[in-house]
Amino acid sequence: MDTKKILVVDDEADLVELITYNLKKEGFIVDSSLDGEGALSKVKGGDYDLLILDLMLPGLQGMDLCRIIRNDPEKSGLPVIMLTAKGEELDKVLGLEMGADDYITKPFSIRELVARVRAVLRRGAYPERKEKSHQKGVLKIGGLAIDRERYIVTVKGRSVKLSATEFKLLLYLAERTGRVFSRDQLLDAVWRDDAFVEPRTVDVHIRRLRSQIEADPANPIYIKTLRGVGYYMDGNV
């Protein structure tokens, strides 16, 4: 297994040093930046498996940096863990909706951070490097097309930019059309043994998926909700 390379972005030099030291102890290759502009340059010119990103940065803010990455076809699959002192639920939801794969609130324990890093890398390594699914080819549902081998999603020919976790969630539902899954079932399937992920995370990712693939997210035709039970992919589109 190749060693994973992580970029840590935070304007607190001492915290960056602490995180870097501990991640290197765990066997990761670690690079760092103290500001958003420097981080963006590193992401564009580097080859990272995970980005640990502070929300509040001098200059280019973490939320804006995440948005830029998600809109970049070459880097959109890079997993992102938001790291911030903001702990309000709204900030968490905004971070997840912006495309973050996880969210850690300061102060935090290094043990928790390492566990979350490993969990995100397990479920969402850079799509181009992920082990290919045993099922090959393009899965089509109505105007939705999911290329399992190239990790490309299109809706009526329009390219859709998804994070690694969003792609995995969409594919999981699409391969099981008509089956209704509760939040807990989706957590077990997509996030696996990440004990830190809350059920609300599923709702946020479903909402983001709908915003990307549905013509009218308020009245979805692909990913539907069975009230009080869960979510399912409608195969009769």
Side-chain angles (χ1 to χ4, degrees):
M1 181 180 295
D2 59 330
T3 303
K4 301 300 182 183
K5 187 175 181 181
I6 300 172
L7 176 61
V8 180
V9 185
D10 197 298
D11 61 345
E12 298 180 47
D14 290 344
L15 181 59
V16 169
E17 184 178 353
L18 177 65
I19 294 174
T20 298
Y21 171 77
N22 282 277
L23 289 178
K24 284 183 175 179
K25 275 181 56 179
E26 296 295 324
F28 297 107
I29 298 171
V30 186
D31 197 0
S32 64
S33 177
L34 298 176
D35 60 76
E37 286 82 2
L40 179 59
S41 177
K42 285 177 181 285
V43 168
K44 287 185 174 182
D47 192 21
Y48 299 99
D49 296 282
L50 176 67
L51 173 62
I52 298 177
L53 178 62
D54 186 26
L55 190 62
M56 303 299 292
L57 294 170
L60 182 64
Q61 296 290 298
M63 201 76 79
D64 294 325
L65 176 56
C66 187
R67 183 186 299 110
I68 291 171
I69 291 171
R70 288 294 176 253
N71 288 328
D72 184 336
E74 294 185 0
K75 303 296 182 179
S76 61
L78 175 63
V80 176
I81 296 179
M82 284 284 189
L83 185 63
T84 178
K86 289 191 172 183
E88 293 81 0
E89 183 178 18
L90 178 59
D91 292 310
K92 294 182 180 181
V93 171
L94 286 175
L96 292 170
E97 288 187 333
M98 198 57 60
D101 295 272
D102 202 353
Y103 195 112
I104 304 178
T105 304
K106 300 175 184 177
F108 58 88
S109 72
I110 289 297
R111 184 176 180 180
E112 177 187 357
L113 176 63
V114 171
R116 286 178 181 259
V117 165
R118 292 194 182 282
V120 169
L121 287 172
R122 277 198 304 272
R123 69 177 185 252
Y126 224 144
E128 291 78 4
R129 300 178 193 163
K130 288 175 70 175
E131 182 180 350
K132 303 303 183 187
S133 169
H134 64 282
Q135 294 180 288
K136 304 295 183 181
V138 178
L139 173 61
K140 294 184 177 180
I141 301 174
L144 176 67
I146 306 171
D147 190 324
R148 298 184 181 95
E149 294 186 347
R150 296 189 297 159
Y151 293 86
I152 295 174
V153 177
T154 59
V155 180
K156 296 182 178 179
R158 172 180 60 85
S159 180
V160 175
K161 300 178 180 65
L162 301 178
S163 70
T165 304
E166 290 161 0
F167 181 92
K168 187 173 182 180
L169 176 59
L170 177 64
L171 182 60
Y172 185 83
L173 291 170
E175 289 180 337
R176 298 161 179 82
T177 56
R179 289 182 57 185
V180 182
F181 296 93
S182 67
R183 290 173 178 148
D184 287 340
Q185 287 175 318
L186 291 174
L187 283 175
D188 289 341
V190 178
W191 284 264
R192 294 197 178 95
D193 54 351
D194 186 353
F196 301 106
V197 177
E198 302 174 357
R200 177 67 183 272
T201 300
V202 175
D203 299 333
V204 172
H205 279 76
I206 290 290
R207 186 159 64 245
R208 179 168 166 78
L209 275 176
R210 284 173 171 165
S211 73
Q212 296 286 76
I213 69 173
E214 304 282 2
D216 181 4
N219 297 286
I221 63 172
Y222 295 110
I223 302 177
K224 295 190 174 181
T225 302
L226 184 60
R227 190 171 297 278
V229 181
Y231 299 104
Y232 68 99
M233 176 72 76
D234 190 346
N236 301 313
V237 179

